[in-house]
Amino acid sequence: ILEWATGRFYWAVLVALIAAVGSGLFLARRLTRRIGELEVVAERVAAGDLTTPFPTSTGDEFGNLGVALEEMRSQLMELDSARKRFIATASHELRTPLFSLGGFLELLEDEDVSEADRERFIAHLREQVTRMQTLATDLLDLSRIDAGALELHETSVDLRGLARTVATEFAPAIADHSAHLELRLPEAPLYARCDPERVTQVLRILLANAIAHTPAGTDIVLAVSLRGTRARLSVVDYGPGIS
């Protein structure tokens, strides 16, 4: 009986060992396959292909890793889409003033151009050059922001004068838009600590958008006010608005 029990024990140990090795090989192959699937997608992402999703079907550690990698891929796709849109917009913004500059230069070469027309063409040239300078500044600011190196130079500024300056700059554009720009300013000076160049830049962007994205004849309000201990600058248009 002892010999029979010992034999059965050895056979049981052998079967258990074979089963353990088989299960280990099965799990190892399964883990290797899942790691390989993640690795294949990761290589595609590294090569610039952001269209293939990471596998996220299981709920274990590899599934959680797949979810994290998939979130990373989605964020990279959004960044890549934003980069492409920005490049397309910047290219368009550069082509337009360059095309205008070339056209006005050709007109100025005509000897029959009157002095009044010549001055008007030169004014348009200045306008397009200023537009390109603004775009170049915007591009430089974006690179500084991306590098975390954008500097703000704060000083005490009367916001009423700043608002008047911007309003004066946009007088021709407002006239071309058949609109009216209303200035709502406090009677007393309103000083605030800020970077006047950056604040002016933001106001220009808001006013430009209000003109560009509203029907002709839409009135616009540029307001300066005090809310508690904070100064408030706002640009409001009476267009259809956005959702």
Side-chain angles (χ1 to χ4, degrees):
I1 295 176
L2 180 61
E3 291 180 357
W4 177 82
T6 303
R8 293 294 296 269
F9 173 75
Y10 285 142
W11 276 108
V13 170
L14 180 61
V15 171
L17 181 62
I18 293 174
V21 171
S23 299
L25 289 175
F26 173 76
L27 290 174
R29 288 183 178 179
R30 184 179 178 185
L31 293 176
T32 302
R33 184 180 70 253
R34 292 172 63 187
I35 293 174
E37 292 174 352
L38 293 174
E39 185 179 2
V40 168
V41 180
E43 289 177 351
R44 291 180 178 177
V45 170
D49 179 10
L50 302 175
T51 60
T52 305
F54 283 93
T56 58
S57 56
T58 58
D60 55 9
E61 287 79 2
F62 284 97
N64 295 336
L65 176 60
V67 170
L69 291 173
E70 178 61 16
E71 291 178 355
M72 177 199 69
R73 184 191 69 85
S74 298
Q75 292 177 1
L76 288 175
M77 284 190 65
E78 292 178 2
L79 290 173
D80 185 63
S81 177
R83 179 183 60 84
K84 290 178 179 178
R85 290 197 303 270
F86 173 76
I87 291 175
T89 301
S91 299
H92 172 73
E93 292 294 329
L94 282 172
R95 283 197 304 267
T96 302
L98 285 173
F99 179 79
S100 297
L101 287 172
F104 284 124
L105 287 173
E106 290 181 1
L107 291 173
L108 287 172
E109 290 176 350
D110 189 350
E111 296 180 356
D112 297 331
V113 175
S114 66
E115 189 61 29
D117 287 338
R118 188 180 301 277
E119 292 180 359
R120 182 165 56 87
F121 294 155
I122 291 176
H124 283 299
L125 287 172
R126 291 197 185 98
E127 180 181 341
Q128 296 303 324
V129 169
T130 301
R131 181 178 177 183
M132 294 183 66
Q133 290 173 338
T134 301
L135 179 60
T137 301
D138 292 342
L139 293 173
L140 180 59
D141 286 346
L142 283 175
S143 65
R144 288 174 177 171
I145 291 173
D146 188 54
L150 182 65
E151 296 182 356
L152 296 178
H153 303 285
E154 292 187 358
T155 184
S156 181
V157 181
D158 182 6
L159 298 181
R160 299 183 310 164
L162 188 148
R164 290 193 185 99
T165 299
V166 176
T168 302
E169 292 178 6
F170 276 83
I174 292 292
D176 291 340
H177 197 56
S178 301
H180 170 68
L181 176 60
E182 179 184 354
L183 274 175
R184 296 180 182 175
L185 308 177
E187 294 181 0
L190 179 54
Y191 287 94
R193 289 199 60 81
C194 63
D195 186 328
E197 180 180 349
R198 300 302 176 188
V199 174
T200 302
Q201 186 178 16
V202 172
L203 287 178
R204 288 184 182 128
I205 292 171
L206 293 176
L207 280 173
N209 286 340
I211 295 172
H213 301 291
T214 58
T218 302
D219 289 341
I220 301 170
V221 176
L222 173 56
V224 177
S225 60
L226 183 64
R227 299 293 179 90
T229 59
R230 294 182 177 274
R232 176 186 176 96
L233 296 95
S234 62
V235 175
V236 180
D237 67 71
Y238 294 95
I242 59 175
S243 59

